[in-house]
Amino acid sequence: MSNKKRILTGIRPTGKLHLGHYFGAVRNWVKLQNEYQSFFEIADVQGLTDNFNNPEKIRNNVKEVTIDLLSLGIDPKISTIFIQSTIPEIAELTVFYSNLVTMSRLYRNPTVKTEIKQKKELFGNSGESVTYGFVGYPVSQAADITAFEGSLVPVGEDQLPLIEQTREIVHKFNSIYGETLTIPEPLLTSTPRIKGLDGNEKMGKSLGNAIYLSDGEKEIEKKVMGAITDPSKIKKDDPANPEICMVYYYHKLLENQNLKTVCEECKQGKRGCVACKKELIQVMMEFLKPIQEKRHYYEEHLEEVDQILKNGSENAKKVAEEVIKRVKENMQINYFK
Ligand code: TRP
Ligand code: SF4
């Protein structure tokens, strides 16, 4: 393997990918794979922490997410795409690390804290919905990162507390058992969160405002036609402010060649919102076309997708085996040659 620095990042297979995933993360991963040795983990075990009672959902989405990643330009010839559960070393490391972190530290983890709060809002205050596995998932994520000696972890801001948690675990491990593990650094994406067409600060499946890479014209039409525009614009020829319009935000995001005209015509009251939305539908369909062509190819060649995941998992396992060997030696639990 090359001696380029390694990046490791993960994605939970809980749904198909949408434009928020692309502009917020995957676009950056596609660039990074040329500079770094890249490992992309389909985090099925982590996905199950929230969906243990819905295994079909995770299973189906492992394939969907892989197809999405391939269609967006993750290149299996230079990058490794693998499934978390195929690497038992991650589960072993999780158990070893669980001694190095206190319960109160996990409960104080801002990401975990927010997610527990959301669960309580959903299920009431009984606390019954919060499982051991859920509270412990940052430990498992530390195992994800260190099992592959990921030195850089491309993530969004919401994941920073998880990387910090990993760094603490690694420090503690190395100070007790000797220098063994690589200390990872987060690699923040410069793109801010992608807003929804409904004006929400975030595009998300649970928010019902996501535009999926696999959406057809009908779905796109429905979503774009319902988008929030400048509320002061009532009539077609009222001048408006594109900066507070979600349709304009998407014209910009998708780099419409005609952007200047859209902006000027809107300000001058020379453009109706319906026509403006119709133009956006066209721009979006154009943008999605090559992605959907690739998607279609992989849907017709599922055996190729399987092979990519199989090769990736074998490749990843080799690295994890080296790491676990060192870990066990240093923890003095390597009994036989
Ligand atoms: N927790 C991440 C998310 O929900 C996914 C993830 C799993 C991950 N393992 C990882 C991210 C390792 C970075 C590194 O988005
Ligand atoms: Fe938004 Fe276009 Fe309407 Fe202006 S004309 S408010 S940019 S949809």
Side-chain angles (χ1 to χ4, degrees):
M1 241 177 258
S2 76
N3 49 14
K4 283 183 191 164
K5 264 196 173 178
R6 184 171 304 144
I7 62 173
L8 176 292
T9 193
I11 190 158
R12 295 182 186 203
T14 51
K16 291 182 180 184
L17 301 192
H18 51 64
L19 288 181
H21 289 114
Y22 177 64
F23 287 106
V26 183
R27 177 169 63 169
N28 193 37
W29 300 355
V30 171
K31 282 197 215 123
L32 289 169
Q33 67 182 342
N34 298 308
E35 281 167 66
Y36 300 99
Q37 213 191 104
S38 302
F39 278 52
F40 301 108
E41 177 184 276
I42 313 289
D44 59 342
V45 177
Q46 192 178 107
L48 283 165
T49 56
D50 273 72
N51 296 281
F52 58 86
N53 49 3
N54 201 354
E56 320 77 58
K57 173 173 157 190
I58 299 297
R59 184 181 175 89
N60 293 337
N61 282 310
V62 166
K63 215 154 270 177
E64 293 293 349
V65 168
T66 307
I67 292 178
D68 280 330
L69 291 178
L70 294 168
S71 307
L72 289 174
I74 299 294
D75 179 357
K77 286 198 212 67
I78 54 175
S79 296
T80 299
I81 310 177
F82 68 99
I83 307 176
Q84 184 185 13
S85 63
T86 63
I87 318 288
E89 287 79 3
I90 298 173
E92 288 185 80
L93 289 176
T94 304
V95 175
F96 303 154
Y97 296 168
S98 66
N99 295 325
L100 308 179
V101 56
T102 63
M103 290 306 286
S104 66
R105 176 63 182 90
L106 286 172
Y107 280 122
R108 262 189 289 120
N109 183 314
T111 313
V112 175
K113 222 164 143 178
T114 318
E115 286 167 339
I116 289 181
K117 199 164 145 255
Q118 286 164 353
K119 277 181 192 289
K120 291 208 168 136
E121 278 160 16
L122 224 63
F123 300 109
N125 228 340
S126 67
E128 271 171 41
S129 61
V130 181
T131 62
Y132 163 67
F134 178 78
V135 183
Y137 94 78
V139 183
S140 160
Q141 188 156 322
D144 289 344
I145 296 169
T146 51
F148 308 99
E149 309 195 278
S151 42
L152 290 169
V153 188
V155 283
E157 203 139 335
D158 62 316
Q159 293 285 308
L160 285 181
L162 291 168
I163 312 301
E164 187 47 39
Q165 183 98 66
T166 302
R167 290 168 57 88
E168 284 175 31
I169 291 172
V170 171
H171 273 297
K172 195 149 185 195
F173 190 102
N174 287 349
S175 73
I176 298 171
Y177 304 110
E179 285 305 314
T180 318
L181 304 164
T182 310
I183 300 174
E185 303 263 358
L187 190 64
L188 264 187
T189 334
S190 52
T191 334
R193 211 167 235 168
I194 306 307
K195 296 185 187 142
L197 274 168
D198 58 354
N200 200 303
E201 283 305 309
K202 191 183 166 194
M203 178 183 280
K205 185 179 45 168
S206 53
L207 298 165
N209 62 0
I211 294 182
Y212 294 96
L213 301 171
S214 53
D215 272 354
E217 187 153 8
K218 282 269 156 320
E219 282 130 332
I220 305 261
E221 227 171 68
K222 205 168 123 221
K223 290 171 188 173
V224 173
M225 288 324 258
I228 300 293
T229 56
D230 177 348
S232 73
K233 183 167 161 98
I234 316 269
K235 291 197 298 301
K236 202 168 111 188
D237 47 8
D238 286 341
N241 176 8
E243 294 307 328
I244 57 169
C245 170
M246 295 320 295
V247 176
Y248 185 69
Y249 172 87
Y250 272 81
H251 275 298
K252 203 154 62 178
L253 187 70
L254 297 168
E255 296 175 9
N256 182 350
Q257 303 289 314
N258 209 11
L259 190 68
K260 263 216 178 93
T261 316
V262 176
C263 182
E264 275 156 23
E265 287 184 355
C266 174
K267 283 184 181 159
Q268 294 163 2
K270 286 187 184 154
R271 164 174 282 257
C273 292
V274 173
C276 193
K277 287 174 174 173
K278 289 204 165 135
E279 182 173 335
L280 179 61
I281 294 167
Q282 285 321 307
V283 171
M284 208 173 264
M285 292 305 294
E286 270 311 296
F287 173 83
L288 290 174
K289 202 170 152 207
I291 299 167
Q292 297 190 342
E293 276 168 12
K294 283 182 95 177
R295 232 188 167 279
H296 187 71
Y297 170 85
Y298 285 113
E299 277 165 359
E300 300 283 300
H301 295 84
L302 284 175
E303 70 296 340
E304 225 172 282
V305 179
D306 271 347
Q307 197 56 46
I308 287 167
L309 285 170
K310 198 158 172 259
N311 292 347
S313 298
E314 278 165 14
N315 194 19
K317 187 154 167 61
K318 279 187 211 131
V319 181
E321 276 169 359
E322 289 294 314
V323 172
I324 202 92
K325 189 162 166 262
R326 261 198 340 261
V327 162
K328 286 187 173 172
E329 259 164 38
N330 293 353
M331 288 180 74
Q332 305 185 37
I333 52 174
N334 61 328
Y335 297 105
F336 312 108
K337 275 265 179 299

